[in-house]
Amino acid sequence: MNHVELHEAKVPVIGLGTWDLRGQEGYQAVLSALSVGYRHIDTAEFYDNEEEVGKALRESRVPREEIFLTTKVWYTHLRSNDLIRSCEESLRKLQTSYVDLYLIHWPSESVPLEESLKAMEKLHRDGKVHYIGVSNFDVALLDEARRISPLPILADQVEYHPYLSQKPLLEYCQKHRVILTAYSPLARGRLFGDPVLRDIANKYGKTVSQVVLRWLIEQDMVVAIPKAKSEKHQRENLDIFNFSLTPEEHKAIAQLDRGERVASRL
Ligand code: NAP
């Protein structure tokens, strides 16, 4: 597996997204992902599956230090005390003493960013959080976070796929060395019928998912976290390291942008 290396973190370029994977299904999905080679798992307190993720991590017997584990604090818990309580609760459910990356899930209109970032620094000092980051921050907010934060902002997790360009944010991340984690990288399946993507997939004997994920991770500073519950899809989404796209194909895929979002804050 390839990694993006930054601030001594090694982040596998493909992680398993776990939104909507709960209960037995969630547990099985994480266990199977770890068994087929995933070493990067993305969860959140809001997904209501941290206990299942924790159980799978433990039962997989993969050494904890080999896994890059991300969780997120919900935007209603961004006051200092709430944030610290949320993180401790996440660690309890995940059955681990630390997460690799702790993200502010969505920005808040009411809590000053500085307060949340300071609380995250305390968690870092206490060894509970190795790296901190944000999610759903645009360029202006990310820039503010980077200026205020006592610690480097490792990543900004945002929706990114061929139907939704992130050009200004990506250029910012590449310039200032912030990882852009692409969520909903498959646009929840909406792009599977796309003729341009299908032609490229046919050329390489690959699937549209594989082409899209390859397109994402070939971009500097980008990692992707496709969600897949079946082992078949999980394996398919990891099998992207034996081909590469031409500059013309990169351009053709970038031109599919139509400003289409599949995710929104609930
Ligand atoms: P996604 O990864 O774009 O798409 C998931 C869908 O694609 C599922 O229905 C999955 O089906 C299907 N799929 C996966 N691999 C496939 C393959 N190889 N062939 C055919 N179908 C395939 O959507 P997402 O779940 O919205 O995004 C991924 C992750 O990003 C989430 O799980 C979550 O961790 C994160 N996320 C974060 C935020 C945020 O605000 N930070 C928001 C949204 C999502 P099966 O499950 O049946 O395989």
Side-chain angles (χ1 to χ4, degrees):
M1 170 81 75
N2 297 359
H3 297 83
V4 171
E5 295 189 30
L6 185 64
H7 303 301
E8 293 176 21
K10 272 184 88 176
V11 186
V13 292
I14 295 291
L16 181 77
T18 67
W19 172 71
D20 218 19
L21 289 173
R22 287 180 300 275
Q24 186 62 15
E25 182 180 86
Y27 163 72
Q28 281 300 342
V30 177
L31 201 58
S32 107
L34 291 167
S35 81
V36 304
Y38 283 74
R39 290 296 179 267
H40 173 179
I41 308 287
D42 180 82
T43 181
E45 63 167 333
F46 184 72
Y47 298 170
D48 193 21
N49 66 6
E50 289 174 311
E51 287 191 7
E52 295 90 308
V53 172
K55 189 168 171 238
L57 290 173
R58 184 151 287 238
E59 291 185 11
S60 72
R61 300 190 170 258
V62 177
R64 173 67 187 86
E65 62 276 13
E66 287 183 14
I67 297 167
F68 191 89
L69 177 62
T70 300
T71 195
K72 320 183 189 83
V73 55
W74 194 235
Y75 74 96
T76 52
H77 297 158
L78 293 178
R79 285 276 170 210
S80 185
N81 287 344
D82 296 336
L83 187 145
I84 286 172
R85 216 175 302 125
S86 276
C87 183
E88 285 170 351
E89 185 65 4
S90 290
L91 294 178
R92 187 188 64 74
K93 290 181 175 165
L94 290 164
Q95 300 186 49
T96 182
S97 60
Y98 70 94
V99 286
D100 295 275
L101 179 59
Y102 199 47
L103 302 178
I104 296 177
H105 203 147
W106 287 88
S108 159
E109 295 90 42
S110 54
V111 181
L113 193 49
E114 192 168 5
E115 177 172 341
S116 311
L117 291 169
K118 273 198 179 144
M120 289 167 98
E121 189 208 13
K122 174 163 169 31
L123 289 167
H124 172 75
R125 259 186 281 122
D126 292 344
K128 294 174 179 165
V129 159
H130 284 184
Y131 295 92
I132 67 167
V134 295
S135 177
N136 298 298
F137 277 38
D138 61 13
V139 171
L141 267 177
L142 175 59
D143 192 57
E144 188 186 341
R146 285 183 59 253
R147 275 187 289 108
I148 296 173
S149 178
L151 295 171
I153 301 292
L154 188 76
D156 189 358
Q157 184 179 122
V158 295
E159 181 171 340
Y160 185 31
H161 47 71
Y163 287 171
L164 181 67
S165 165
Q166 287 290 2
K167 200 164 187 277
L169 184 67
L170 181 57
E171 283 173 359
Y172 180 96
C173 287
Q174 290 171 339
K175 180 167 175 208
H176 297 285
R177 311 316 284 164
V178 177
I179 293 173
L180 190 157
T181 306
Y183 79 62
S184 305
L186 306 174
R188 297 191 180 151
R190 283 194 207 174
L191 36 67
F192 289 158
D194 189 281
V196 172
L197 296 171
R198 286 178 88 126
D199 278 354
I200 298 172
N202 288 338
K203 173 181 159 190
Y204 292 104
K206 289 286 177 185
T207 64
V208 167
S209 291
Q210 290 172 321
V211 166
V212 168
L213 294 171
R214 184 75 206 177
W215 175 76
L216 286 166
I217 63 148
E218 281 185 354
Q219 298 171 54
D220 182 32
M221 299 311 283
V222 176
V223 309
I225 49 168
K227 174 228 161 195
K229 67 169 176 273
S230 66
E231 187 184 313
K232 179 174 177 285
H233 287 165
Q234 292 175 353
R235 281 188 190 278
E236 187 178 312
N237 296 345
L238 273 193
D239 181 20
I240 59 168
F241 298 103
N242 52 4
F243 75 112
S244 44
L245 300 170
T246 65
E248 292 72 33
E249 287 161 348
H250 265 271
K251 218 165 142 198
I253 297 174
Q255 281 171 355
L256 298 175
D257 169 43
R258 49 197 204 200
E260 185 171 328
R261 277 182 197 277
V262 300
S264 60
R265 194 181 82 179
L266 297 170

